Amino acid sequence: MPFALDDAALDLLFREAHTPKTFTGEPVGEDAIRAVYDLIKLAPTAFNQSPLRLTLLRSPEARQRLLPHMSPGNQAKTATAPMTVILSVDLEFHRKLPTLFPAVPGLKDGAFAEPAARERSGGMNATLQAGYFLLGLRAAGLAAGPMTGFDAEGINKEFFGDGSQRVLLVVNAGKPGPDAYRPRGPRLSFEEAAVTL
Amino acid sequence: MPFALDDAALDLLFREAHTPKTFTGEPVGEDAIRAVYDLIKLAPTAFNQSPLRLTLLRSPEARQRLLPHMSPGNQAKTATAPMTVILSVDLEFHRKLPTLFPAVPGLKDGAFAEPAARERSGGMNATLQAGYFLLGLRAAGLAAGPMTGFDAEGINKEFFGDGSQRVLLVVNAGKPGPDAYRPRGPRLSFEEAAVTL
């Protein structure tokens, strides 16, 4: 089946893209992450709830606050990446629903009045947005290094002490450095992952 | 900041893309979903765990099994979409880790031996893959109609009666039909969604 995207775009986003273990020193500024956000914010979430939040760690001081909470194997690359972004879910996302989804006025004080409902739906939709964000970084010509190896409770306490957000992923971003790639692991075939009824 | 992708690609994936409420009758076959899967399976998951599973509802009989579990507002478009795919997480994904991530041999019987750990990590990583899948459909020139308005327990019982999978999203796919789009809702600005430290 032919794709609507050309091969160069498919290569950039998927086929040649790869999680790097090193980065060059080329800086990545807030402007780059802003451009990626302004692109991926357009992709869909349930009720347009848009619960993803980004904490950009640009300063060395901010990076130092994160490092002790990263797994040992993730510390060196997180210390040296040109940009590190904490992706989190806003557990109070319902407050913005009257603006984001005015078509159903009762959502804020109805379906999403309960914290457990916000945790479930917000967590899922922010994670969808995290997927968009990783591909958005690639669309901007940046290599994305997503990590789940960290002490989530420690990060939440350090950066979201009021409990209003919960960390999902920490993502390094930059240009891949020398010897950046391990060989790609195998993937499941369509037959292993899918069934047609 | 310039993107590495050209404007036509950015428009197709994000700027002009839109969740449709109607589809044309143009068929979408298993081959199209296979091509999308073979593309998006390359994008990253933690430990390459690749927990997303797809159930393609091609036959009218299969679609009829789903419809009673969809919210009333989602039934008509799900009945008439050229293709409907149930995206789910494989809660037994750890069985494939010795093949998918041989670098850490103990994962299957260690960190992921507990169902709660698989539920948490698998649910998150399958949802990341669901995000990749939605953009992959767009890369294939298809409009993606993701839905969370359904009775999850009902779908799980009907399609995953052994408890090995849990539904995440139901996605209609096809070419957008006449009058397919509502106006796009507002999105949060970078300042509302992000902070730089």
Side-chain angles (χ1 to χ4, degrees):
Chain A
M1 193 203 62
F3 277 89
L5 280 190
D6 63 25
D7 276 326
L10 296 173
D11 288 349
L12 180 78
L13 291 173
F14 294 104
R15 293 175 185 158
E16 305 285 329
H18 210 129
T19 298
K21 54 187 171 83
T22 67
F23 296 94
T24 69
E26 192 177 330
V28 174
E30 182 191 270
D31 57 333
I33 305 301
R34 176 191 295 264
V36 170
Y37 173 77
D38 282 337
L39 189 71
I40 67 100
K41 73 181 181 187
L42 301 173
T45 57
F47 304 111
N48 193 28
Q49 63 183 254
S50 310
L52 182 71
R53 301 293 177 266
L54 296 79
T55 302
L56 286 64
L57 306 181
R58 190 173 49 178
S59 72
E61 295 72 25
R63 205 75 64 94
Q64 283 304 322
R65 291 171 56 195
L66 175 67
L67 290 182
H69 306 292
M70 300 302 293
S71 305
N74 286 329
Q75 289 187 356
K77 59 188 169 194
T78 305
T80 56
M83 174 60 87
T84 298
V85 183
I86 300 173
L87 299 183
S88 56
V89 51
D90 181 357
L91 299 171
E92 304 289 329
F93 71 84
H94 63 314
R95 295 183 184 173
K96 299 189 193 289
L97 284 174
T99 307
L100 293 175
F101 204 71
V104 182
L107 283 174
K108 174 173 161 288
D109 302 311
F112 292 121
E114 286 299 319
R118 297 199 298 275
E119 163 63 38
R120 191 169 50 242
S121 185
M124 173 168 182
N125 283 281
T127 305
L128 276 181
Q129 289 186 284
Y132 307 149
F133 180 76
L134 297 176
L135 296 183
L137 287 175
R138 290 174 172 185
L142 295 170
M147 297 171 288
T148 54
F150 49 71
D151 169 17
E153 207 173 321
I155 292 179
N156 289 338
K157 193 176 281 185
E158 176 68 31
F159 292 94
F160 314 119
D162 65 353
S164 66
Q165 296 185 45
R166 176 171 68 77
V167 60
L168 298 170
L169 276 183
V170 178
V171 182
N172 291 321
K175 299 282 187 182
D179 192 29
Y181 301 123
R182 292 194 190 82
R184 198 199 284 282
R187 295 298 196 266
L188 300 178
S189 68
F190 182 72
E191 283 69 23
E192 291 173 294
V195 62
T196 300
L197 302 179
Chain B
M1 193 204 62
F3 278 89
L5 279 190
D6 63 25
D7 276 327
L10 296 173
D11 288 349
L12 180 78
L13 292 173
F14 294 103
R15 293 174 184 157
E16 305 286 329
H18 211 128
T19 297
K21 54 187 172 81
T22 66
F23 296 94
T24 69
E26 192 178 328
V28 174
E30 181 191 270
D31 56 334
I33 304 302
R34 176 190 295 262
V36 170
Y37 172 77
D38 282 336
L39 189 71
I40 68 98
K41 72 181 181 186
L42 300 173
T45 58
F47 304 111
N48 193 28
Q49 63 185 252
S50 308
L52 182 71
R53 300 291 177 268
L54 296 80
T55 303
L56 286 65
L57 306 181
R58 190 172 49 180
S59 72
E61 294 74 23
R63 204 76 64 95
Q64 283 304 322
R65 290 172 56 196
L66 174 67
L67 290 181
H69 306 291
M70 301 302 293
S71 305
N74 286 330
Q75 289 186 356
K77 58 188 168 192
T78 304
T80 56
M83 172 62 86
T84 297
V85 183
I86 300 173
L87 299 184
S88 56
V89 50
D90 181 357
L91 298 170
E92 304 289 329
F93 70 84
H94 64 314
R95 294 183 184 174
K96 297 189 194 289
L97 283 174
T99 306
L100 293 175
F101 205 71
V104 182
L107 284 174
K108 174 172 160 288
D109 301 311
F112 293 120
E114 285 300 318
R118 297 200 297 274
E119 164 62 39
R120 191 169 52 241
S121 185
M124 170 167 184
N125 282 282
T127 304
L128 277 181
Q129 289 186 285
Y132 308 148
F133 180 76
L134 296 176
L135 295 183
L137 287 174
R138 291 173 170 185
L142 296 170
M147 297 172 287
T148 55
F150 48 72
D151 169 16
E153 206 173 323
I155 292 179
N156 289 336
K157 193 177 279 187
E158 176 68 31
F159 290 95
F160 313 121
D162 65 355
S164 66
Q165 296 184 47
R166 176 170 69 77
V167 62
L168 298 170
L169 277 182
V170 178
V171 182
N172 291 323
K175 299 283 187 182
D179 191 29
Y181 300 124
R182 291 193 190 84
R184 197 199 283 284
R187 296 298 196 266
L188 300 178
S189 70
F190 182 73
E191 283 69 23
E192 292 172 294
V195 64
T196 300
L197 303 180

